[in-house]
Amino acid sequence: MNLYIDNHKFHYEMENLCRAFLFTEDVAVIHEYDTLEKPYILTSVHDEVRVELCTDEVRDALSAPLCDDNELCMGQLLYRLLSKAYDRELPWGILTGVRPIKLFSRLCDRDGEEAARRLFRDTLYVSGEKTALAKQVRDNQAAILSRSDKRSFSLYVSIPFCPTRCNYCSFVSQTVEKAKKLIEQYIPLLLSEIRYTAELTKELDLRLESVYIGGGTPTTLSAQQLDILLSEIEADFDLSTCAEFTVEAGRPDTVTAEKLQTLKSHRVTRISINPQTFSDSVLEHIGRKHTSQQTIDAYRLARELGFDNINMDLIAGLTTDTPKSFEKTIDIVRELDPESVTVHTLAVKRSARLNSSDAVREHGYTAAMLAYAAKELTAGGYEPYYLYRQSKMLSNLENIGWAKPGFFSPYNVYIMEETHSILACGAGAVTKLRDTGSDYLERIFNFKYPYEYISRFDEMIQRKERVKSFYGEYNE
Ligand code: SF4
């Protein structure tokens, strides 16, 4: 589909909306052209806001007078045009942003809850079901968010290594095997970045709310390496105010008794063991080199060793998965009874080995999968407490963090709602500096890949000095 942009700056939003409807089709965004080539969508702002769809089967157009918010107006017109042509509604309507709860909360604070609900439903075309979900998530986050203030910060530590690469992954580098050889060089630098970050926070008198070690797969590290890393964090930071210390033990094939004992001997309060699915054939298809039995064994081992706060990540919409096998996955999760379950919707990124035509067979199933998960998890006593969206998610759905009351992860709420600064260490980590007096957020990017992180470490640390001057300008 050709998406023509005529005299406006809303190309990003219109492209996202088109992609949400035309999931399997390529959308080419064209700013300069002499003629219009079919099939196309033309979006223009001149003496009116206008959208036009032209394919072999359909020719239709909608327009509206110019107004104060031509972007919103164009989004509404395009949504209505495509919804009619493709006979579909999108659950999140014209919302293309990744943080719908943040928007909902802001509207509630500004206009009250009833007005926020109305705006979601009537102006942004969000379904009644998703609007109710937004309210429930907001309510569940309230207690955690109330603890966050201008002195708060959370610490993220990145371990960008995995035993092998899953084929739906867009996070770690292609050359997983090669990258793993860099671990020995990576760790001393990471420790030094952690030390430097801790010094900054002491100097600025900041208060640590949560720690999250993610990746990649942190348990790719040996027990001894994990011990060194955790000892460094404990020595450098005051953990007395820290409500959560998570380590992602994501891939069950990296979990051993020795590593779990190491985590347990430190201040780790929460781990994540991620099945993604309990279907062995789906696991094989997506290139995850472990079986569902390995996940169950790793989970039981963690329980035996005393872990009482375990999360499990699942993905709905994986290639070759079916509603039936997804239901089986949910049923097994309910039997295992972890404290929290994060249900992701597959997002097909360009950098993943899995492409959109692989995923298309599942398109349409995913909403039913999420509905089953919601029904069963609710019955199991879980509640939705954080939610975010990504581009290119199947059926334009969402990722939802479910947890039993008392086990909502503060880090997940803080990172989504961006209420305080996240200081991040390691390759691919992004420090987010938050001014709590306004909406202002400033990012400091670390180098993405381990080899760059290692070779350009000093340059990166220099960038981090900005943390100090930021707190001189904001949050005073
Ligand atoms: S374990 Fe996670 S980060 Fe690692 S390759 Fe698989 S999806 Fe990517």
Side-chain angles (χ1 to χ4, degrees):
M1 178 69 77
N2 293 320
L3 171 63
Y4 291 100
I5 308 295
D6 181 8
N7 196 37
H8 66 83
K9 292 187 176 134
F10 325 133
H11 54 94
Y12 180 73
E13 289 71 21
M14 297 313 126
E15 181 187 351
N16 279 342
L17 200 48
C18 288
R19 287 192 192 286
F21 276 101
L22 310 168
F23 182 75
T24 57
E25 257 182 69
D26 278 340
V27 176
V29 183
I30 303 168
H31 293 264
E32 287 176 20
Y33 52 92
D34 296 321
T35 53
L36 300 171
E37 277 182 40
K38 273 206 298 188
Y40 71 79
I41 293 165
L42 172 63
T43 57
S44 64
V45 178
H46 287 288
D47 48 0
E48 62 179 3
V49 180
R50 183 180 157 80
V51 296
E52 182 185 326
L53 171 69
C54 184
T55 69
D56 285 339
E57 298 82 32
V58 187
R59 179 158 203 143
D60 200 359
L62 288 172
S63 61
L66 297 176
C67 63
D68 289 345
D69 195 341
N70 290 329
E71 178 182 344
L72 174 64
C73 174
M74 183 177 281
Q76 290 175 323
L77 293 177
L78 187 58
Y79 181 91
R80 282 177 8 225
L81 187 76
L82 296 179
S83 177
K84 184 175 156 212
Y86 294 95
D87 193 23
R88 292 180 54 199
E89 301 283 343
L90 299 176
W92 290 98
I94 64 170
L95 277 187
T96 52
V98 297
R99 293 185 174 82
I101 308 305
K102 200 173 170 189
L103 173 65
F104 186 75
S105 288
R106 204 176 295 163
L107 292 169
C108 286
D109 292 344
R110 197 189 65 188
D111 306 327
E113 196 177 290
E114 194 39 50
R117 276 183 207 246
R118 260 201 316 274
L119 193 124
F120 254 46
R121 231 178 21 226
D122 304 339
T123 308
L124 303 173
Y125 305 151
V126 178
S127 72
E129 187 200 330
K130 298 300 178 197
T131 303
L133 176 64
K135 177 193 156 25
Q136 198 184 0
V137 171
R138 177 177 191 259
D139 291 349
N140 280 334
Q141 295 181 339
I144 290 174
L145 291 178
S146 70
R147 298 202 292 265
S148 174
D149 64 30
K150 64 180 184 180
R151 302 323 302 171
S152 297
F153 80 101
S154 287
L155 175 71
Y156 178 80
V157 176
S158 164
I159 306 295
F161 303 103
C162 287
T164 55
R165 186 171 190 251
C166 312
N167 63 10
Y168 58 87
C169 180
S170 59
F171 296 111
V172 297
S173 73
Q174 302 275 349
T175 50
V176 168
E177 291 302 322
K178 221 163 112 190
K180 259 168 63 182
K181 297 196 182 112
L182 298 174
I183 293 179
E184 288 290 337
Q185 283 169 272
Y186 181 78
I187 289 186
L189 293 174
L190 178 64
L191 299 184
S192 125
E193 189 186 8
I194 290 171
R195 261 193 307 277
Y196 176 67
T197 305
E199 279 163 26
L200 288 174
T201 61
K202 274 183 210 141
E203 214 174 301
L204 296 165
D205 191 27
L206 302 183
R207 189 180 70 236
L208 182 57
E209 304 290 350
S210 63
V211 178
Y212 197 101
I213 304 185
T217 306
T219 39
T220 308
L221 302 188
S222 67
Q224 198 199 0
Q225 289 164 334
L226 286 168
D227 184 41
I228 293 169
L229 172 63
L230 295 168
S231 301
E232 183 71 51
I233 295 171
E234 287 164 1
D236 296 343
F237 291 93
D238 173 7
L239 293 172
S240 63
T241 55
C242 178
E244 172 197 4
F245 194 136
T246 288
V247 174
E248 274 195 58
R251 286 264 293 259
D253 44 341
T254 61
V255 174
T256 65
E258 196 192 2
K259 290 182 200 178
L260 289 177
Q261 270 154 351
T262 303
L263 303 185
K264 201 71 200 144
S265 70
H266 287 276
R267 302 282 292 269
V268 175
T269 57
R270 178 177 180 269
I271 59 169
S272 193
I273 296 175
N274 301 330
Q276 311 302 8
T277 167
F278 277 105
S279 160
D280 284 341
S281 65
V282 177
L283 283 172
E284 194 179 332
H285 196 88
I286 61 174
R288 256 177 102 95
K289 308 269 185 230
H290 63 83
T291 62
S292 46
Q293 189 57 48
Q294 274 176 289
T295 313
I296 294 170
D297 294 344
Y299 176 82
R300 295 218 163 110
L301 183 63
R303 283 294 195 221
E304 275 165 31
L305 293 172
F307 284 92
D308 55 8
N309 188 355
I310 303 180
N311 173 70
M312 287 191 147
D313 276 6
L314 303 176
I315 303 177
L318 286 168
T319 315
T320 74
D321 206 2
T322 62
K324 214 171 165 49
S325 67
F326 184 80
E327 285 176 15
K328 194 175 147 212
T329 293
I330 293 289
D331 296 346
I332 295 174
V333 167
R334 275 207 59 193
E335 247 176 80
L336 293 172
D337 204 27
E339 282 63 36
S340 59
V341 181
T342 311
V343 183
H344 294 92
T345 298
L346 183 71
V348 184
K349 304 279 179 179
R350 237 178 252 130
S351 51
R353 285 184 196 145
L354 190 71
N355 62 37
S356 53
S357 59
D358 270 333
V360 66
R361 278 165 282 155
E362 281 66 44
H363 193 41
Y365 289 166
T366 322
M369 290 173 169
L370 291 199
Y372 186 81
K375 177 170 80 68
E376 286 302 310
L377 292 173
T378 303
Y382 298 87
E383 293 180 22
Y385 77 97
Y386 84 100
L387 183 155
Y388 68 103
R389 301 172 67 224
Q390 291 163 276
S391 61
K392 295 198 152 194
M393 296 182 96
L394 294 183
S395 297
N396 204 29
L397 289 157
E398 70 277 325
N399 302 323
I400 301 181
W402 296 83
K404 300 199 173 174
F407 292 96
F408 299 158
S409 151
Y411 180 84
N412 284 333
V413 174
Y414 295 138
I415 189 81
M416 282 309 136
E417 302 311 306
E418 298 177 325
T419 48
H420 63 235
S421 295
I422 308 282
L423 301 184
C425 300
V430 182
T431 290
K432 292 179 182 170
L433 301 172
R434 179 78 164 92
D435 173 29
T436 52
S438 72
D439 261 355
Y440 184 64
L441 187 89
E442 194 172 308
R443 292 179 172 82
I444 306 172
F445 292 89
N446 280 7
F447 289 112
K448 184 170 178 196
Y449 297 115
Y451 73 89
E452 292 170 295
Y453 180 85
I454 292 166
S455 61
R456 300 173 72 180
F457 184 75
D458 293 342
E459 187 187 326
M460 206 190 58
I461 287 293
Q462 269 169 21
R463 278 189 219 159
K464 232 171 175 175
E465 282 179 17
R466 171 64 185 144
V467 175
K468 232 187 288 181
S469 53
F470 177 91
Y471 276 90
E473 291 166 35
Y474 302 98
N475 293 340
E476 271 304 291

